């Protein structure tokens, strides 16, 4: 191509819509530190999707998010004596729930210092500090020995990590042969799979949560293959989780009413939700949703 041709191509590229990329781990850590108070208040401890049976299910956010934790715990299938890694541990509620229900030992990691400090308090308050611990670490480069965990889970954290395949490679490395990983993730669905503009809008929305663009469920077979994991199952739970955003929106409104203000990141999310007719939104085909993915390391 001529120099002029290259210049024209470069100009056209600059004028086009730029791709949105996932944030770096330290940005994510700062985001969770900066919004710690409000996020833990609105999510009531579990920072992930809620699971409702349908529109008439009036379970509150805490109950519904605990149901999703329990679904993941059930899939993990671990018992006392197992050592489990929680990738992106938040304030430690899921890790403590896992230890309470199964007796397994849990190590949680997060890039947020506030998360880790608070998670330690959560474990101590539950009387489980001897088997549940937390540390600041990046899922992209885990500070653990090869084959040192029986199982790994990631609840609502994959979307914040820069590269799913790299994270799963790390998961495969620290898992013992035969060990299982269970995770939840946000995926594009329906019209967003065909329509680039829709997908772009959803990536912009994810960026306000300091997350990268939602993935496509089918890509999990590639991520797992590249990582050396065997994909066992992938269940789309969107019809159960789709009520989550309206609950977050209500939580943000309540928080603002009570505290008179919201941190900038959260004010932006609240602004995006204004004007949405939630009943209508829940009755439409969802262009973004959630999946539970189960995979294991071959023997
Ligand atoms: N699993 C928790 C928290 C989900 S919120 C729960 O369900 O309650 C997302 C979490 O992932 C936050 O704790 C965030 O700090 C963590 N996280 C994001 N990127 C990470 C990374 N690269 N490595 C480790 N943790 C990360």
């Amino acid at each position: 191509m001529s120099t002029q041709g290259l210049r024209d191509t470069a100009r056209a590229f600059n004028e086009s819509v730029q791709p949105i990329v996932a944030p770096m781990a330290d940005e994510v850590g700062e985001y969770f530190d900066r919004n710690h108070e409000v996020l833990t208040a609105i999510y009531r401890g579990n920072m992930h999707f809620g699971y409702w049976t349908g529109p008439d299910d009036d379970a509150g956010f805490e109950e519904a998010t605990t149901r999703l934790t329990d679904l993941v715990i059930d899939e993990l299938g671990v018992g006392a004596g197992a050592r489990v890694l929680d990738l992106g541990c938040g304030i430690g509620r899921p890790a403590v729930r896992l230890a309470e229900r199964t007796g397994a030992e849990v190590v949680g990691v997060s890039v947020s210092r506030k998360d880790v400090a608070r998670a330690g308090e959560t474990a101590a308050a539950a009387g489980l500090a001897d088997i549940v611990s937390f540390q600041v670490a990046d899922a992209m480069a885990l500070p653990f020995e090869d084959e040192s965990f029986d199982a790994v889970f990631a609840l609502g954290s994959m979307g914040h990590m820069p590269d799913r395949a790299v994270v799963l490679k790390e998961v495969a490395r620290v898992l013992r042969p035969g060990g299982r990983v269970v995770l939840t993730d946000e995926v594009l669905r329906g019209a967003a799979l065909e329509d680039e503009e829709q997908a772009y809008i959803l990536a912009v929305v994810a960026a306000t949560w300091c997350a990268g663009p939602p993935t496509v469920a089918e890509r999990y077979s590639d991520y797992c293959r590249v990582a050396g994991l065997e994909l066992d199952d992938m269940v789309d739970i969107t019809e159960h989780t789709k009520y989550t955003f309206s609950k977050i929106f209500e939580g943000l409104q309540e928080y603002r009413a009570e505290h008179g203000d919201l941190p900038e990141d959260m004010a932006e999310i609240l602004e995006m939700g204004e004007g949405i007719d939630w009943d209508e939104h829940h009755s439409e085909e969802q262009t973004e949703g959630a999946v539970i993915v189960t995979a294991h390391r071959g023997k």
Side-chain angles (χ1 to χ4, degrees):
M1 200 187 287
S2 68
T3 313
Q4 185 57 45
L6 279 170
R7 273 206 199 97
D8 290 344
T9 307
R11 192 169 309 120
F13 178 74
N14 281 335
E15 282 165 9
S16 74
V17 177
Q18 299 291 307
I20 295 181
V21 293
M24 299 302 287
D26 55 350
E27 274 178 66
V28 177
E30 281 164 23
Y31 176 92
F32 277 95
D33 280 350
R34 182 162 86 228
N35 297 297
H36 181 83
E37 299 310 326
V38 55
L39 282 175
T40 52
I42 58 168
Y43 273 104
R44 306 214 165 50
N46 293 317
M47 295 198 275
H48 55 249
F49 284 119
Y51 188 99
W52 288 270
T53 53
D56 300 328
D57 180 353
D58 57 8
F61 210 28
E62 191 171 354
E63 186 183 348
T65 50
T66 303
R67 285 182 189 158
L68 187 59
T69 304
D70 282 344
L71 281 176
V72 168
I73 292 175
D74 294 345
E75 285 292 323
L76 275 174
V78 294
R83 186 168 185 249
V84 182
L85 173 63
D86 176 1
L87 282 186
C89 62
I91 63 163
R93 284 281 192 83
V96 163
R97 178 102 181 156
L98 174 65
E100 275 170 349
R101 282 195 47 204
T102 67
E105 182 192 330
V106 192
V107 178
V109 296
S110 168
V111 284
S112 153
R113 284 172 195 287
K114 284 198 182 170
D115 268 3
V116 169
R118 183 89 173 269
E121 291 166 17
T122 312
L128 287 167
D130 53 335
I131 56 167
V132 182
S133 64
F134 301 94
Q135 63 192 77
V136 175
D138 182 355
M140 301 276 289
L142 290 167
F144 303 114
E145 306 259 312
D146 295 358
E147 304 186 8
S148 54
F149 289 94
D150 298 294
V152 178
F153 74 99
L155 250 168
S157 53
M158 290 303 286
H160 296 282
M161 297 174 184
D163 188 326
R164 289 168 174 89
V166 172
V167 170
L168 290 178
K169 243 184 186 167
E170 277 295 84
V171 167
R173 182 181 69 74
V174 301
L175 265 182
R176 64 159 170 77
R180 184 174 265 212
V181 53
V182 182
L183 59 91
T184 65
D185 204 350
E186 283 98 70
V187 294
L188 299 176
R189 301 166 86 247
L193 295 173
E194 315 288 325
D195 179 345
E196 273 178 35
E197 194 182 319
Q198 273 266 14
Y200 194 82
I201 290 170
L202 292 171
V204 171
V205 174
T208 64
W209 288 96
C210 207
T215 188
V216 171
E218 283 66 34
R219 277 195 204 138
Y220 262 95
S221 43
D222 286 335
Y223 298 143
C224 287
R225 188 175 36 75
V226 168
L229 292 169
E230 290 172 31
L231 180 64
D232 296 312
D233 201 13
M234 187 161 47
V235 183
D236 187 314
I237 52 169
T238 309
E239 284 307 306
H240 300 284
T241 56
K242 66 183 179 185
Y243 308 96
T244 302
F245 294 108
S246 54
K247 294 283 178 195
I248 291 174
F249 186 70
E250 272 169 30
L252 287 172
Q253 278 179 322
E254 277 166 26
Y255 190 96
R256 188 178 55 183
E258 202 175 307
H259 297 82
D261 206 4
L262 274 176
E264 210 177 311
D265 302 297
M266 297 293 124
E268 207 180 320
I269 290 170
L270 186 60
E271 205 178 305
M272 277 185 329
E274 256 146 33
I276 294 183
D277 177 332
W278 291 107
D279 286 336
E280 191 182 311
H281 176 73
H282 295 149
S283 67
E284 284 167 355
E285 194 209 14
Q286 304 293 302
T287 51
E288 190 187 357
V291 287
I292 300 184
V293 178
T294 309
H296 72 276
R297 177 174 162 180
K299 297 214 183 208

